[in-house]
Amino acid sequence: MKIVIIGASAAGISAAKTINVSEPETEVVIISREDSVHSRCMLHKFLGHQRDAKGISFIADDFFETAGITWLNNTTVISLDPDKKTVTTHDNQTISYDKLLIATGAGYFIPPIPGLRESKNVYGFRDLIDAKLLDRECQTAKNAVVIGAGLVGMDAAVALLERGLNVTVIEMTKDVMSLQLDHQAAAAYQKLFKEAGAEFILEDKVVSVDVNDVGRGTTIHLASGKAVPADVIVIAAGVRPAFNFTQGSGIKTNQAILVGDDLKTNIDDIYAAGDVTGIAGIWPNAMKQGRIAAINMLGEKLLYEDRYALKNTVNFYGLTTLSLGNINPEPEENCEIFIREDRHNYQKVVLKNGIVQGVIMQGDIGGTGFWQYLIKNKIDVSDKNKDVFGLSFADFYDLDQQTGEYKYAV
Amino acid sequence: MKRIIIDREKCDGCLNCNIACISAHEEGSNFYTVNLQSPDAETRNFIKFDAGKGYLPIFCRHCDEPECVLSCMSGALEKDPVSGHVQYDENKCAACYMCVMNCPFGVLKPDKKTRTKVIKCDFCDDKPDGPSCVKACPKQAIVVKEVNL
């Protein structure tokens, strides 16, 4: 059997690894646009010159050779034919498959703001290609503007600050990382970034960009009337699943490739995993989807059930935060909010009818992994009869006598 | 694979396992000389107390399907196909702490001093005489056994 995987990031590599371990005799071909395998979560380490391209890889140097996998890099798939079971690449190769996995991820989105898309010095911060282009700009640029203060924008900002640029972050909402943090937790990061030299313009938005005669954006105009000078612009205003090449193939999409719980598309023998499915844009989930899609392509029937995606960790300037679930409930949701603070920690737990809805743990996040289990499995903690901050796995402690593994007693 | 099997009924909460773990990761130290006040003093195993259930040892299971490995975006955490143990490469780790978030049993933690690495059981590097916590347990509440996957 021959399995073709399009994409060599979390989902694609995880699938390839799974196939290689379970059925090493299966022929695997991976096609990727880039000539390196790297973790996009470490791009800021590359741009900040703390690691080189090899240093942000998440596989062994000899992964493809050892696993006997054919890797077609610098190769873009432009179309696919489900009847002939082939994909066609930009350089006119036709590659046949028995099973196909689409793991092409997502691409950054440039909002249709006058001057922004036209500017040649606007970059996303998504792939190593983007980071390399930004790296070149950093050699001459003085003023950098980051549009969007989500995790990606903050990653870009931390690297640009590391390179000694003047960094201004522009954000529409009133806080940085507003999906992950509440006002107080966000303020702690904002303070650290300011100490490192960053400027923030919050609750404002870009209305236009002046483009000079060589096509570079020079001044960013905001709704408030402010104008910010820019030598280089990073856009971090969200991503869109990348599946242009499936046009005309009959694969059902709705802003993402639609898959069932078995991660198969509407067409037999074609599966999808990772950001391209729109299920959960986060590394651990993409890895798990890649693994499950691979097992299903090998003929098993495993279902992807771990759809819980409202989770993240943040680590900037040594301040760590765990964020899970609904952390900023509206008053009409009638949630109970518990807060505990000391000099080094800010902790918030959102409860409703004994079920944990959301958690922020800022400061010491050691041993906090159990919270995700409680939230995604909607476990009632009201019968524990204790301070919610005192909860741990010990309150649900059980052991499988045969394997010695832990399980939850609920 | 070899796993530390827990018999929680036998645990007296003496915390010898904690001290043995800290000492095993402080070079040249032993039970008598280990510096528990050092900022590097970190235990990889925990004993919780519950008024109803008594002492509850929480030790890395080197799970059959390790959530920490699946969440690792740097390749620092890998399940060794031969030993079955989840190994950690500090040099690859980018301290994103997705593994801390994803361990359902709350075993993993960032290092206290620098927040640049993860503190995780390394099975004492598979030394022939076994993990130091097991050797230090006076009650045999933790023992190494071969388990079939």
Side-chain angles (χ1 to χ4, degrees):
Chain A
M1 182 158 75
K2 181 177 176 187
I3 294 178
V4 172
I5 298 169
I6 315 174
S9 191
I13 293 291
S14 156
K17 271 189 182 173
T18 306
I19 296 163
N20 188 245
V21 171
S22 318
E23 285 190 24
E25 64 283 3
T26 304
E27 183 185 354
V28 177
V29 178
I30 296 189
I31 307 170
S32 73
R33 280 191 309 135
E34 290 197 81
D35 62 358
S36 78
V37 172
H38 57 270
S39 168
R40 68 183 82 265
C41 314
M42 289 194 279
L43 288 179
H44 61 292
K45 303 234 175 219
F46 175 84
L47 183 57
H49 283 187
Q50 288 127 323
R51 292 194 187 193
D52 58 10
K54 212 181 121 193
I56 63 166
S57 167
F58 64 101
I59 55 171
D61 291 346
D62 58 353
F63 171 74
F64 293 107
E65 297 83 60
T66 310
I69 292 170
T70 307
W71 180 29
L72 303 175
N73 56 32
N74 287 324
T75 306
T76 306
V77 172
I78 53 164
S79 68
L80 81 99
D81 184 336
D83 296 326
K84 292 194 187 125
K85 296 179 94 167
T86 56
V87 297
T88 306
T89 64
H90 76 286
D91 52 355
N92 254 323
Q93 299 182 63
T94 301
I95 298 151
S96 67
Y97 63 82
D98 295 311
K99 308 266 181 188
L100 176 69
L101 178 66
I102 301 171
T104 40
Y108 62 86
F109 172 74
I110 306 181
I113 293 165
L116 190 61
R117 282 187 182 170
E118 297 84 332
S119 295
K120 285 182 189 154
N121 52 339
V122 172
Y123 303 92
F125 196 52
R126 179 81 195 158
D127 293 311
L128 189 55
I129 297 170
D130 306 321
K132 281 181 175 166
L133 292 169
L134 273 167
D135 184 42
R136 211 164 58 193
E137 292 276 3
C138 281
Q139 289 161 16
T140 53
K142 286 192 172 63
N143 299 310
V145 172
V146 177
I147 302 173
L151 274 175
V152 173
M154 297 301 266
D155 266 352
V158 88
L160 295 165
L161 288 165
E162 191 73 32
R163 295 291 294 277
L165 276 73
N166 302 319
V167 178
T168 305
V169 182
I170 299 165
E171 166 61 39
M172 285 201 298
T173 65
K174 70 178 173 46
D175 286 307
V176 300
M177 298 179 276
S178 57
L179 290 178
Q180 287 83 27
L181 306 174
D182 67 1
H183 182 64
Q184 181 165 344
Y189 282 109
Q190 215 184 312
K191 183 166 173 279
L192 290 169
F193 273 81
K194 276 187 178 163
E195 283 166 8
E199 300 225 18
F200 288 90
I201 301 175
L202 304 174
E203 291 183 275
D204 209 342
K205 64 180 184 188
V206 179
V207 289
S208 69
V209 178
D210 291 345
V211 184
N212 70 10
D213 50 9
V214 288
R216 293 174 65 89
T218 54
T219 308
I220 293 174
H221 296 280
L222 304 177
S224 61
K226 282 183 195 150
V228 185
D231 301 317
V232 57
I233 303 164
V234 179
I235 184 78
V239 296
R240 302 285 184 270
F243 54 84
N244 269 343
F245 65 96
T246 65
Q247 257 181 14
S249 69
I251 292 179
K252 278 197 185 139
T253 61
N254 178 15
Q255 284 151 30
I257 290 186
L258 298 175
V259 289
D261 285 344
D262 56 357
L263 301 179
K264 191 172 79 60
T265 66
N266 61 308
I267 293 176
D268 280 346
D269 303 325
I270 302 182
Y271 293 73
D275 284 5
V276 79
T277 66
I279 298 173
I282 184 166
W283 191 274
N285 294 39
M287 294 277 280
K288 203 178 258 190
Q289 287 171 35
R291 192 178 152 269
I292 289 176
I295 290 169
N296 289 339
M297 287 193 289
L298 295 173
E300 300 283 321
K301 190 90 182 165
L302 260 187
L303 298 183
Y304 180 75
E305 282 157 347
D306 189 3
R307 287 177 182 258
Y308 199 78
L310 292 172
K311 55 183 179 184
N312 235 313
T313 46
V314 183
N315 184 10
F316 290 117
Y317 301 110
L319 179 64
T320 45
T321 306
L322 167 82
S323 163
L324 298 165
N326 181 2
I327 42 148
N328 287 313
E330 300 294 334
E332 56 269 27
E333 292 179 78
N334 287 320
C335 294
E336 286 179 278
I337 296 176
F338 298 86
I339 288 176
R340 186 168 81 168
E341 294 181 75
D342 63 28
R343 248 187 324 150
H344 304 292
N345 295 281
Y346 170 65
Q347 305 181 325
K348 176 177 184 176
V349 175
V350 179
L351 269 184
K352 186 174 184 175
N353 302 328
I355 315 255
V356 186
Q357 310 290 315
V359 166
I360 295 174
M361 295 284 151
Q362 187 170 64
D364 181 9
I365 63 165
T368 53
F370 71 96
W371 286 106
Q372 184 189 166
Y373 192 94
L374 298 187
I375 294 178
K376 74 182 175 193
N377 294 294
K378 300 187 174 66
I379 291 170
D380 192 338
V381 299
S382 55
D383 64 333
K384 296 298 167 198
N385 202 18
K386 72 195 295 186
D387 177 3
V388 70
F389 295 106
L391 289 170
S392 75
F393 170 63
D395 295 295
F396 311 92
Y397 194 95
D398 199 6
L399 281 160
D400 182 308
Q401 292 307 325
Q402 292 225 294
T403 64
E405 292 211 283
Y406 287 132
K407 53 186 186 180
Y408 269 75
V410 286
Chain B
M1 66 171 261
K2 287 191 169 71
R3 179 171 281 149
I4 296 171
I5 298 295
I6 300 161
D7 184 346
R8 71 168 182 84
E9 312 262 330
K10 286 188 183 160
C11 177
D12 270 352
C14 72
L15 303 185
N16 269 350
C17 52
N18 285 191
I19 293 166
C21 182
I22 294 167
S23 173
H25 297 88
E26 184 186 306
E27 231 178 289
S29 77
N30 61 39
F31 186 86
Y32 299 101
T33 62
V34 60
N35 178 7
L36 299 177
Q37 304 299 322
S38 152
D40 293 312
E42 304 257 23
T43 175
R44 288 144 186 80
N45 47 49
F46 315 92
I47 308 293
K48 299 268 184 185
F49 178 72
D50 181 272
K53 287 178 273 191
Y55 293 103
L56 301 165
I58 297 184
F59 284 60
C60 176
R61 303 288 74 208
H62 296 269
C63 295
D64 298 351
E65 298 211 0
E67 287 281 348
C68 58
V69 174
L70 273 180
S71 71
C72 181
M73 58 84 172
S74 68
L77 287 164
E78 293 270 6
K79 191 165 172 76
D80 188 295
V82 180
S83 71
H85 294 147
V86 174
Q87 292 172 336
Y88 170 63
D89 182 344
E90 187 178 309
N91 296 317
K92 283 189 186 165
C93 177
C96 75
Y97 298 129
M98 294 265 206
C99 55
V100 172
M101 171 180 84
N102 247 37
C103 172
F105 313 113
V107 178
L108 301 189
K109 61 182 188 182
D111 76 297
K112 278 204 194 77
K113 194 165 80 175
T114 66
R115 304 264 160 95
T116 58
K117 54 192 179 195
V118 173
I119 303 295
K120 187 200 162 297
C121 169
D122 52 10
F123 222 83
C124 285
D125 294 330
D126 291 306
K127 274 190 303 222
D129 54 345
S132 51
C133 53
V134 171
K135 276 189 293 176
C137 179
K139 298 291 301 285
Q140 283 81 52
I142 42 173
V143 291
V144 173
K145 280 189 186 157
E146 190 71 33
V147 291
N148 292 324
L149 301 187

